[in-house]
């Protein structure tokens, strides 16, 4: 069967548009026999997400700045490339999930080593990094000028969501392209179409604002329960089925009690996300004091050299502020 990109072979502009529309009309057209995938960024999230696609039968070419981090994927059939450009030259759809907006710009838009420079006509970029909405628009415009497409599709759900294939995916860009990609997204979680380019990023940032304040409430409640003489584990179980229940409690309550601060999502990256949120708030002219407080508390973790811990380590800030230490769980 012809590769995905061959369906976009250019005869003239109008014919290309017709072919594209016809192909995009059948959302089940993408399958392992006709679509080659590329993946840039095989860290905590990317590695699990890649593995789902490989096990679904897709051919994957991967790149990571630290090649050893890609080894588990090579062991199950992925091929290693030496640059984002090399990944894209061998792929029809290229996913990225890296650390910071500067990384996104580098791996996608660098004129020499970037993925877009290596992508063939009709190819698709899918950036799953939490990044600047304005950068998502810039990438989409650059892709369009090359007769390619770009979707911003940041995710929520942490390491467990990535491992279980249950991520919430916030997609911005051409809706028909998002529908075209649905067989791929369904291997990773549930895709939610949010609007034009950049809207996926805006949705993810709003998600991070909600999580930030929820985490503050969770750890404050735990410190309060401890000072009141309650068994904090019993307290968490008691509130989990009531109005105070939350995904944050489900994902992190027991981890906190076990003093398990391993990163499912790094403090460093959360500080980056909240910083982007604050910058966007300034542009919008809105005040979100809960966001500002949470960002400062997480910055405190970085100041203590704890930026590579998981976001549940916020409890450490509240313990320091109150000169208390929650007893570790025996479970």
């Amino acid at each position: 069967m012809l590769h995905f990109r061959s369906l976009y072979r250019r005869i003239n502009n109008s014919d290309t548009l017709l072919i594209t529309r016809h192909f995009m009309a059948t959302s089940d057209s993408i399958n392992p026999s006709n679509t080659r995938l590329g993946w840039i960024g095989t860290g905590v999230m990317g590695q699990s997400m890649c593995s789902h696609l490989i096990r679904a039968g897709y051919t994957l070419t991967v790149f990571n700045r630290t090649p050893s981090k890609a080894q588990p994927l090579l062991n199950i059939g992925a091929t290693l490339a030496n640059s984002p450009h090399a990944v894209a030259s061998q792929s029809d759809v290229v996913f990225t999930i890296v650390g910071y907006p500067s990384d996104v710009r580098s791996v996608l838009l660098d004129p020499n080593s970037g993925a877009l420079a290596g992508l063939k006509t009709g190819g698709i970029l899918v950036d799953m990094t939490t990044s600047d909405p304005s950068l998502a628009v810039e990438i989409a415009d650059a892709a369009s000028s090359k007769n390619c497409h770009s979707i911003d599709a940041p995710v929520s759900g942490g390491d467990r969501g990535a491992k279980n294939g249950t991520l919430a995916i916030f997609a911005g860009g051409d809706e028909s392209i998002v529908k075209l990609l649905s067989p791929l997204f369904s291997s990773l979680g549930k895709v939610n179409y949010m609007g034009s380019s950049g809207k996926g990023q805006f949705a993810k940032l709003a998600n991070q604002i909600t999580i930030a304040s929820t985490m503050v409430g969770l750890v404050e409640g735990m410190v309060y329960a401890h000072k009141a003489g309650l068994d904090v584990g019993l307290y968490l179980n008691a509130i989990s089925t009531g109005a105070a229940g939350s995904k944050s409690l489900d994902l992190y309550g027991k981890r906190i009690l076990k003093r398990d601060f391993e990163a499912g999502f790094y403090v460093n990256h959360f500080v980056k996300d909240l910083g982007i949120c604050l910058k966007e708030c300034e542009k919008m002219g809105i005040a979100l004091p809960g966001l500002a407080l949470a960002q400062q508390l997480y910055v405190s973790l970085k100041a203590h050299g704890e930026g590579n811990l998981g976001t549940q380590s916020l409890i450490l800030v509240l313990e320091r502020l109150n000169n208390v230490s929650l007893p570790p769980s025996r479970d």
Side-chain angles (χ1 to χ4, degrees):
M1 186 177 291
L2 294 176
H3 280 305
F4 174 90
R5 74 183 187 205
S6 67
L7 294 169
Y8 291 87
R9 185 178 294 117
R10 298 188 69 184
I11 301 170
N12 58 50
N13 288 339
S14 60
D15 285 342
T16 300
L17 183 60
L18 288 172
I19 292 169
T20 303
R21 284 176 175 168
H22 172 75
F23 189 64
M24 292 190 303
T26 56
S27 63
D28 60 347
S29 294
I30 284 182
N31 61 70
S33 65
N34 71 1
T35 307
R36 303 169 305 167
L37 305 182
W39 197 285
I40 299 168
T42 58
V44 172
M45 301 287 288
Q47 191 168 126
S48 294
M49 296 162 78
C50 269
S51 68
H52 292 307
L53 295 170
I54 293 172
R55 292 189 174 102
Y58 289 94
T59 299
L60 256 80
T61 303
V62 302
F63 170 80
N64 199 82
R65 287 179 298 186
T66 306
S68 61
K69 291 185 177 180
Q71 190 59 50
L73 296 172
L74 305 185
N75 294 343
I76 60 173
T79 300
L80 184 66
N82 62 8
S83 70
H85 185 285
V87 169
S89 67
Q90 302 171 60
S91 306
D92 305 306
V93 181
V94 177
F95 291 87
T96 50
I97 184 163
V98 292
Y100 297 88
S102 59
D103 298 321
V104 174
R105 181 178 295 279
S106 175
V107 300
L108 291 183
L109 297 182
D110 186 283
N112 298 313
S113 62
L116 183 57
L119 200 63
K120 303 299 188 293
T121 298
I124 302 173
L125 301 175
V126 183
D127 182 33
M128 309 191 87
T129 314
T130 303
S131 184
D132 293 316
S134 60
L135 179 56
V137 173
E138 181 182 346
I139 293 167
D141 289 344
S144 179
S145 70
K146 195 179 173 180
N147 294 314
C148 295
H149 303 279
S150 178
I151 300 298
D152 51 289
V155 299
S156 180
D159 59 333
R160 292 190 181 181
K163 289 175 183 176
N164 296 331
T166 56
L167 293 168
I169 305 166
F170 309 104
D174 188 325
E175 186 174 11
S176 59
I177 297 295
V178 174
K179 289 180 179 178
L180 176 66
L181 295 170
S182 61
L184 304 176
F185 286 138
S186 65
S187 294
L188 307 176
K190 179 184 177 183
V191 65
N192 306 272
Y193 180 67
M194 307 309 299
S196 58
S197 294
K199 292 297 191 290
Q201 294 294 352
F202 277 120
K204 175 58 187 297
L205 294 174
N207 176 85
Q208 299 301 74
I209 292 168
T210 303
I211 288 175
S213 291
T214 301
M215 285 295 293
V216 172
L218 172 62
V219 297
E220 286 190 344
M222 293 176 73
V223 169
Y224 182 89
H226 170 65
K227 287 293 287 184
L230 297 174
D231 180 305
V232 181
L234 290 177
Y235 156 74
L236 290 179
N237 287 334
I239 69 169
S240 64
T241 57
S246 68
K247 277 286 187 180
S248 293
L249 189 160
D250 294 341
L251 290 172
Y252 298 122
K254 289 184 178 179
R255 291 198 203 186
I256 292 171
L257 289 179
K258 292 179 180 179
R259 313 304 286 181
D260 175 6
F261 301 131
E262 184 177 353
F265 191 72
Y266 291 109
V267 166
N268 282 334
H269 291 168
F270 203 42
V271 169
K272 175 262 297 184
D273 292 355
L274 300 183
I276 295 173
C277 292
L278 287 170
K279 182 173 66 175
E280 294 298 326
C281 285
E282 186 174 354
K283 290 180 182 178
M284 297 174 186
I286 59 174
L288 301 182
L291 163 63
L293 171 61
Q295 196 259 1
Q296 287 295 296
L297 295 174
Y298 275 103
V299 167
S300 173
L301 284 171
K302 285 193 66 174
H304 280 83
E306 295 158 342
N308 287 325
L309 298 181
T311 52
Q312 70 273 24
S313 62
L314 185 63
I315 189 67
L316 299 175
V317 179
L318 271 295
E319 288 178 333
R320 283 191 284 259
L321 282 172
N322 293 285
N323 194 29
V324 300
S325 182
L326 271 63
S329 170
R330 297 175 184 175
D331 296 333

